[in-house]
Amino acid sequence: MADPRLFLEALSALSGCNVQATDGPSLLNPQDFVNIVALTEFYKQEGLQELDYPSVGTLSLQDLDEEDIYNSPPALAEGPATAGPEETLRTRVKINPEDFFHHEFDYDFTNVQDVGATFLRGDERYIRPCGWNRVALRVVQKYDGGDGWLGEGKDAWPVSFCCHNMDGDHGVILTHGGSPNDEPSFLDAAAASVFTGAMRGRGLYSTPDIKMAEKYCKTFKSKVDGKRYKVVLQNRINPEKRLKCQQEEVWLVYVPEGCSDVQTRTIVQESIRPYGLLLKQV
């Protein structure tokens, strides 16, 4: 297993927070991190500059675009720190690694090659993250309804990977299913697409293709070993909430116009669940 401090650096890069270890209770759980990542990208699409998140406060979306902000905080454990100006401005978030990670289910795909192999999750093809090292997140028995969403059978949710800085041109909706098409705002947008020729997706982007995720992932330089890493969240996506786009490897969770911050956060929580933190040395 890699140095545990590296995992906290990766979470810092993903969230824009200064993530540190604690022996006490975690301030955020894995679902909170995927919420922050997804909402950050969505609000940036909407042209907003800040994200307010419970237990964290206000996060600047402008700062997340600066390369320096991806550099990890120098102190990843409790105690005195000699943080630089970027780190001291970032919100400090403490997590308990024992409660947050589930190392029993870690899997190192670094030297794995799936040539000719086909894997399925929820009747959808699963492209395993070959070349990456996956650190498992503690999500078993954390959601109502059991752990079927995390399995391999027909009731399992398909696998998706979070993307960073995808614009609306990627999200031209081709098909839709499940509850989003019952929303009046969704129907209005669909009707408008008859005149525009395409409906650019307003919502939360992810992809079932790790190669596309790698093109749109975050990177950071580790203060633990001085190396650069790419980092991606591996998730399961609710098939009833996911829309397939014209670009085959792009999936969208639609967010209707007029949703409040609470409603938007609820859509994320009902649609995307994380279970792995992926790292790859650049």
Side-chain angles (χ1 to χ4, degrees):
M1 185 178 69
D3 191 317
R5 294 176 297 169
L6 183 62
F7 310 151
L8 301 185
E9 291 183 317
L11 292 173
S12 297
L14 281 171
S15 66
C17 299
N18 184 338
V19 181
Q20 301 182 356
T22 180
D23 293 331
S26 297
L27 182 63
L28 299 178
N29 60 38
Q31 183 65 51
D32 288 314
F33 274 89
V34 80
N35 289 353
I36 289 173
V37 171
L39 290 172
T40 292
E41 295 306 314
F42 173 65
Y43 285 134
K44 284 164 66 177
Q45 285 180 47
E46 297 294 290
L48 302 179
Q49 301 297 314
E50 294 180 337
L51 165 65
D52 290 322
Y53 196 82
S55 301
V56 174
T58 301
L59 301 176
S60 172
L61 307 187
Q62 186 69 34
D63 288 343
L64 294 178
D65 284 331
E66 299 176 6
E67 179 67 18
D68 286 345
I69 209 70
Y70 300 155
N71 289 341
S72 56
L76 295 171
E78 292 181 314
T82 55
E86 289 85 3
E87 287 81 10
T88 57
L89 290 174
R90 294 197 291 175
T91 301
R92 178 181 296 182
V93 173
K94 293 189 177 183
I95 66 166
N96 187 325
E98 293 296 321
D99 295 337
F100 194 90
F101 299 108
H102 204 168
H103 293 301
E104 177 185 349
F105 298 104
D106 288 355
Y107 198 99
D108 190 354
F109 291 95
T110 302
N111 298 311
V112 174
Q113 296 184 5
D114 286 339
V115 179
T118 301
F119 302 90
L120 296 176
R121 297 292 185 271
D123 283 339
E124 292 277 359
R125 185 185 177 198
Y126 167 36
I127 302 175
R128 300 204 302 176
C130 296
W132 296 74
N133 188 7
R134 184 177 70 202
V135 183
L137 306 179
R138 193 170 294 277
V139 293
V140 173
Q141 298 182 355
K142 296 295 185 180
Y143 295 92
D144 294 336
D147 295 325
W149 64 277
L150 196 56
E152 300 180 8
K154 292 184 178 180
D155 293 334
W157 290 9
V159 174
S160 76
F161 306 95
C162 281
C163 291
H164 172 63
N165 277 348
M166 267 192 171
D167 60 36
D169 289 336
H170 289 90
V172 178
I173 294 173
L174 179 65
T175 63
H176 56 78
S179 59
N181 64 331
D182 296 328
E183 296 283 352
S185 298
F186 184 91
L187 296 176
D188 291 343
S193 71
V194 174
F195 301 100
T196 63
M199 183 167 66
R200 285 182 171 80
R202 180 183 189 271
L204 317 165
Y205 290 105
S206 64
T207 177
D209 188 347
I210 184 60
K211 291 183 179 179
M212 169 164 269
E214 186 171 358
K215 293 179 182 178
Y216 293 93
C217 73
K218 289 189 176 182
T219 63
F220 67 96
K221 183 176 181 180
S222 172
K223 293 185 182 296
V224 173
D225 59 16
K227 300 175 182 178
R228 294 194 65 81
Y229 291 89
K230 296 177 180 180
V231 56
V232 171
L233 275 177
Q234 185 175 21
N235 317 297
R236 297 296 184 98
I237 189 167
N238 188 335
E240 296 183 356
K241 303 291 185 181
R242 169 208 57 185
L243 312 177
K244 293 186 177 181
C245 298
Q246 193 173 50
Q247 190 166 343
E248 185 176 353
E249 63 271 27
V250 178
W251 290 347
L252 180 79
V253 172
Y254 182 71
V255 177
E257 294 277 358
C259 282
S260 67
D261 290 347
V262 173
Q263 289 171 324
T264 302
R265 189 166 65 250
T266 299
I267 290 174
V268 179
Q269 294 179 169
E270 292 177 346
S271 305
I272 305 175
R273 294 176 179 175
Y275 73 105
L277 179 70
L278 300 178
L279 288 166
K280 184 178 183 180
Q281 187 176 332
V282 177

